[in-house]
Amino acid sequence: NAGVTQTPKFQVLKTGQSMTLQCAQDMNHEYMSWYRQDPGMGLRLIHYSVGAGITDQGEVPNGYNVSRSTTEDFPLRLLSAAPSQTSVYFCASTLNFSPGQGSAGELFFGEGSRLTVL
Amino acid sequence: GQQVMQIPQYQHVQEGEDFTTYCNSSTTLSNIQWYKQRPGGHPVFLIQLVKSGEVKKQKRLTFQFGEAKKNSSLHITATQTTDVGTYFCAGRDSNYQLIWGAGTKLIIKP
């Protein structure tokens, strides 16, 4: 199994440009999420989805958009990139998100996408 | 909002010394998970603790969940170079959302 696959691994943008970070998982996981990681700040949740057609905002959603048209894919769109969005982005998934359904809820992470906005 | 405080931010140890990181939540948690992130890598799940007072061991790693389900710790005995990385705790709140600690970076002194 490939697990969680993120592309691209590295990207440099100019302020105001838009782009999409791709995330795909082949584990039939219901729950998918996007995090950003900045030095000394741990992981901050941007958006998440508990199933196809359902998305919700996390802690830091501004400037980002998501959609979940299939179980496998959860792309993250930067609408107009800003230097404050320079970060490492991680996609993560888990089988399901509700207690008592037989899953520990452990997150499986992609390898990350390092984004620099100039 | 709900927070999970994790200390220390960094810990420098000689190889063979012990390492401990602590997490404290402002509210009661449903459970707590621990992850390890190697330098340049992605977080990898280590373990989940669910019960009050639970203690679990994985070889040289010992994980504890407090009686009040508000704090947790990870202790590594006799650190090795393979232990280098950042250790994160992540607690599940009453809405089943994960609240992440900021991580503790384990550095082995040369």
Side-chain angles (χ1 to χ4, degrees):
Chain A
N1 280 345
V4 179
T5 303
Q6 284 184 239
T7 56
K9 287 186 167 47
F10 301 93
Q11 183 72 49
V12 178
L13 291 178
K14 294 181 179 178
T15 297
Q17 287 185 316
S18 62
M19 76 156 298
T20 299
L21 299 177
Q22 302 291 345
C23 177
Q25 51 88 13
D26 61 358
M27 298 175 281
N28 203 30
H29 284 176
E30 291 182 358
Y31 177 89
M32 297 185 74
S33 57
W34 276 102
Y35 286 90
R36 60 177 289 172
Q37 184 174 37
D38 302 295
M41 297 189 71
L43 292 154
R44 292 186 291 169
L45 182 64
I46 304 171
H47 285 285
Y48 66 96
S49 167
V50 298
I54 305 168
T55 63
D56 209 342
Q57 296 182 350
E59 181 186 355
V60 289
N62 292 341
Y64 307 94
N65 211 348
V66 291
S67 59
R68 184 95 180 270
S69 56
T70 66
T71 299
E72 294 78 20
D73 299 299
F74 191 46
L76 177 72
R77 296 181 188 84
L78 280 71
L79 308 172
S80 177
S84 61
Q85 293 178 304
T86 293
S87 188
V88 180
Y89 292 84
F90 288 102
C91 179
S93 70
T94 191
L95 182 60
N96 56 58
F97 205 54
S98 299
Q101 290 191 13
S103 167
E106 65 174 278
L107 286 174
F108 293 82
F109 283 82
E111 294 187 351
S113 299
R114 187 175 296 273
L115 174 67
T116 302
V117 183
L118 303 175
Chain B
Q2 292 175 311
Q3 287 187 332
V4 171
M5 302 300 294
Q6 187 171 359
I7 56 170
Q9 189 174 0
Y10 302 94
Q11 191 166 359
H12 295 78
V13 300
Q14 298 277 7
E15 188 174 3
E17 290 182 337
D18 292 356
F19 162 85
T20 306
T21 173
Y22 301 90
C23 287
N24 289 289
S25 169
S26 55
T27 59
T28 303
L29 300 169
S30 300
N31 56 53
I32 193 159
Q33 298 178 349
W34 286 91
Y35 292 79
K36 176 184 178 181
Q37 184 177 24
R38 287 199 162 97
H42 58 278
V44 175
F45 176 82
L46 294 175
I47 207 162
Q48 176 170 278
L49 304 172
V50 178
K51 299 176 183 176
S52 169
E54 190 169 15
V55 178
K56 287 189 176 180
K57 293 191 176 184
Q58 289 179 349
K59 297 183 181 177
R60 293 178 295 104
L61 279 61
T62 301
F63 303 85
Q64 295 189 25
F65 200 13
E67 293 290 341
K69 300 182 75 172
K70 287 187 174 182
N71 57 75
S72 183
S73 64
L74 158 60
H75 180 82
I76 302 177
T77 304
T79 54
Q80 300 174 359
T81 55
T82 53
D83 295 326
V84 162
T86 301
Y87 293 84
F88 291 96
C89 63
R92 285 209 186 274
D93 66 12
S94 54
N95 295 319
Y96 218 59
Q97 295 293 340
L98 273 178
I99 310 167
W100 290 81
T104 296
K105 192 171 186 178
L106 170 58
I107 300 163
I108 304 282
K109 296 177 190 175

